[in-house]
C-alpha cells in the first residue's frame, strides 16, 4: 500500500511538472525512404523487412529474414520545369549565390529536402536497426529550418497462433533541431564549412520511444495495428550554437552542456489501423503481384488524449498505397497521404534495390499549399 501511494505521488508530481511547461509538439520519426513514401507510408498491415523497423514491429515476424547492409535516399522539393536542377546545382556549387538561384523555388510554397539512411536486420521475431532521417524546409532563402534524428531500433516479435503476429520495440533517439538558418549558411555547413553554423541556434536532446504492433492474416487480407511513441516521447532539449554542437561532437566530447530549454518537446502517441489486400494469383503472381493497403492514423496530443479532431486532421489521417510487382523485379508504386498523391518505380534485384519517386507534399508552412518533388534511394539488401 505504501509503495502504491508513493508511486501515485510521483505520478501526480510528474503530471504537475509537465502541465507547468509549454508543450511543443515534435514530428514523428518517419525516415523518407522512397519505397515507403511512394505508397503513402501505408504499410502497417503489410509491414515486413527493413520497413518494419519504422512502421510496425509485428513485421519482425512476418516475411522472410532480411539483412540491409546499407540503405540511403535523398529528395528535393522542386517545381516542375523552371530549370530547377540546374539552379540547385549552381546554388550548391556556390552557396553565396543560393538566395538568388533558388528564389523561384521558394515562391510560392517553399523549398526543402530530405535525407534518409539506415542498416538493419529483421526476421524470425528479431528486429535491429540504426536509422537516420533528416529534413530541411524554408519559406524564404533567409529563413530555413532543419532537423535530423538518429535512432536505434531494437525489438522482438512472436506469433500467436496461425494468424496473429505481435511485436514491440524500443527506439532511443538523438534529435537535433535548427529552427532558423539561411540557405547560404545551410549549404556551406553541409559542405563542411562548419563555421557557417556560428550564428544558428541548435536544440538537441535524447528521447526514448516505445512501439507496439500487431498483424493478423486471413487469406488475402491482412489487418494491422501500430502504436508508436506510446504515452508520448519527450525530449529534454539543451540549446547552443550549431557550431558549438558540431565542434563538441567532432572532438569526441559528445553533446555540449548548453543551456536548458524550459519547454517540453514531445512526439505525440499515434495509433494506426490498416487493412491490406494481397490476392493469391497462383503462378500468375510471378508476372503480376499487386498489394493494396489503406491505413488510418490518429494522433493523441498530450493533455488532450480524447480530443475531437478537426476535419483537416480527419482527412490527414488517411494513408493509401498500391504496390504492383511485375516479373518479381519491377515495382510500380502509387500512394496518397495528407491529401496529396505520389508515384514511384522500384527495381529490386537480388542484393540491390533502386527506388525512385515523384510526389506532392504538404508545405510545412501552409497545410493548404503543395510542393512537388522527387527522391531516389538505393539499398544493398539480402
Amino acid at each position: 500500500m505504501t509503495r502504491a501511494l508513493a508511486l501515485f505521488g510521483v505520478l501526480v508530481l510528474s503530471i504537475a511538472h509537465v502541465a507547468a511547461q509549454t508543450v511543443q509538439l515534435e514530428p514523428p520519426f518517419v525516415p523518407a525512404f522512397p519505397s515507403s513514401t511512394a505508397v503513402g507510408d501505408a504499410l502497417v498491415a503489410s509491414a515486413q523487412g527493413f520497413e518494419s523497423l519504422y512502421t510496425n514491429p509485428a513485421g519482425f515476424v512476418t516475411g522472410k529474414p532480411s539483412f540491409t547492409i546499407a540503405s540511403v535516399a535523398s529528395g528535393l522539393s522542386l517545381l516542375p520545369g523552371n530549370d530547377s536542377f540546374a539552379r540547385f546545382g549552381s546554388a550548391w556549387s556556390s552557396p553565396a549565390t543560393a538566395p538568388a538561384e533558388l528564389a523561384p523555388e521558394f515562391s510560392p510554397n517553399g523549398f526543402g529536402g530530405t535525407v534518409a539512411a539506415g542498416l538493419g536486420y529483421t526476421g524470425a521475431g528479431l528486429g535491429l536497426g540504426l536509422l537516420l532521417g533528416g529534413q530541411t524546409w524554408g519559406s524564404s532563402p533567409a529563413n530555413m529550418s532543419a532537423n535530423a534524428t538518429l535512432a536505434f531500433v531494437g525489438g522482438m516479435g512472436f506469433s500467436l497462433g496461425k494468424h496473429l503476429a505481435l511485436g514491440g520495440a524500443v527506439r532511443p533517439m538523438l534529435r537535433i533541431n535548427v529552427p532558423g538558418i539561411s540557405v547560404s549558411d545551410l549549404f556551406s555547413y553541409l559542405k563542411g564549412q562548419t563555421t557557417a553554423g556560428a550564428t544558428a541556434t541548435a536544440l538537441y536532446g535524447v528521447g526514448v520511444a516505445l512501439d507496439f504492433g500487431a498483424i493478423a492474416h486471413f487469406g488475402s487480407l491482412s489487418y494491422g495495428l501500430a502504436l508508436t511513441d506510446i504515452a508520448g516521447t519527450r525530449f529534454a532539449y539543451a540549446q547552443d550554437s550549431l557550431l558549438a554542437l558540431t565542434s563538441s561532437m567532432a572532438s569526441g566530447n559528445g553533446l555540449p552542456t548548453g543551456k536548458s530549454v524550459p519547454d517540453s518537446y514531445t512526439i505525440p502517441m499515434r495509433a494506426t489501423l490498416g487493412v491490406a489486400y494481397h490476392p493469391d494469383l497462383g503462378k500468375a503472381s510471378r508476372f503480376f503481384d499487386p498489394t493494396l493497403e489503406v491505413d488510418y492514423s490518429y494522433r493523441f496530443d498530450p493533455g488532450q488524449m480524447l480530443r475531437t479532431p478537426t476535419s483537416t486532421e480527419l482527412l490527414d489521417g488517411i494513408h493509401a498505397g498500391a504496390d504492383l510487382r511485375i516479373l518479381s523485379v519491377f515495382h510500380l508504386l502509387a500512394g496518397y497521404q495528407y491529401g496529396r498523391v505520389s508515384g514511384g518505380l522500384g527495381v529490386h534485384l537480388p542484393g540491390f534495390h533502386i527506388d525512385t519517386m515523384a510526389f506532392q507534399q504538404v508545405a510545412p508552412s501552409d497545410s493548404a499549399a503543395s510542393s512537388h518533388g522527387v527522391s531516389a534511394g538505393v539499398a544493398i539488401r539480402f
Side-chain angles (χ1 to χ4, degrees), residues 127 135 174 256:
Q135 181 183 37
L174 167 64

Side-chain angles (χ1 to χ4, degrees), residues 18-114:
V18 173
Q21 297 176 309
T22 300
V23 178
Q24 305 286 352
L25 299 186
E26 287 277 294
F29 177 63
V30 185
F33 291 104
S35 57
S36 53
T37 309
V39 293
D41 287 318
L43 292 165
V44 166
S46 57
Q48 57 180 302
F50 183 73
E51 284 81 7
S52 63
L53 290 169
Y54 55 91
T55 56
N56 188 343
F60 302 161
V61 182
T62 62
K64 300 178 181 179
S66 172
F67 179 36
T68 299
I69 296 176
S71 180
V72 295
S74 63
L76 285 173
S77 299
L78 297 170
L79 292 172
N82 204 35
D83 295 324
S84 296
F85 286 102
R87 289 178 178 274
F88 178 80
S90 297
W92 181 257
S93 299
S94 179
T97 67
E101 289 285 359
L102 295 177
E105 304 299 331
F106 282 95
S107 178
N109 297 334
F111 167 78
T114 61

Side-chain angles (χ1 to χ4, degrees), residues 112-127:
T114 61
V115 63
L119 56 89
Y121 171 84
T122 61
L126 177 65

Side-chain angles (χ1 to χ4, degrees), residues 360-382:
Q360 286 182 304
Q361 71 175 18
V362 175
S365 57
D366 181 0
S367 61
S370 293
S371 177
H372 297 78
V374 294
S375 68
V378 297
I380 301 174
R381 182 171 297 143
F382 298 94

Side-chain angles (χ1 to χ4, degrees), residues 113-268:
T114 61
V115 63
L119 56 89
Y121 171 84
T122 61
L126 177 65
L128 295 171
L130 185 65
L131 304 171
L132 171 69
Q135 181 183 37
T136 180
W137 188 269
S139 57
S140 72
N143 183 28
M144 298 197 73
S145 62
N147 67 74
T149 304
L150 179 66
F152 169 78
V153 180
M156 298 183 68
F158 61 92
S159 297
L160 192 62
K162 297 182 180 180
H163 302 287
L164 181 62
L166 303 175
V170 179
R171 183 164 34 93
M173 295 178 288
L174 167 64
R175 176 164 285 187
I176 300 171
N177 282 323
V178 181
I181 188 171
S182 70
V183 65
S184 296
D185 285 346
L186 177 63
F187 280 18
S188 296
Y189 178 82
L190 293 176
K191 293 181 68 174
Q193 301 173 26
T194 56
T195 54
T199 59
T201 298
L203 304 178
Y204 50 90
V206 175
V208 180
L210 299 176
D211 302 328
F212 169 81
I215 297 177
H217 296 284
F218 297 97
S220 297
L221 292 174
S222 297
Y223 303 91
L225 165 68
L227 302 177
T228 56
D229 299 288
I230 294 173
T233 301
R234 183 176 177 273
F235 290 88
Y237 278 141
Q239 175 181 314
D240 211 328
S241 70
L242 182 58
L243 176 59
L245 173 62
T246 303
S247 300
S248 180
M249 296 183 69
S251 62
N253 294 324
L255 301 175
T257 303
K259 300 178 181 178
S260 62
V261 178
D263 292 347
S264 173
Y265 290 78
T266 301
I267 301 177

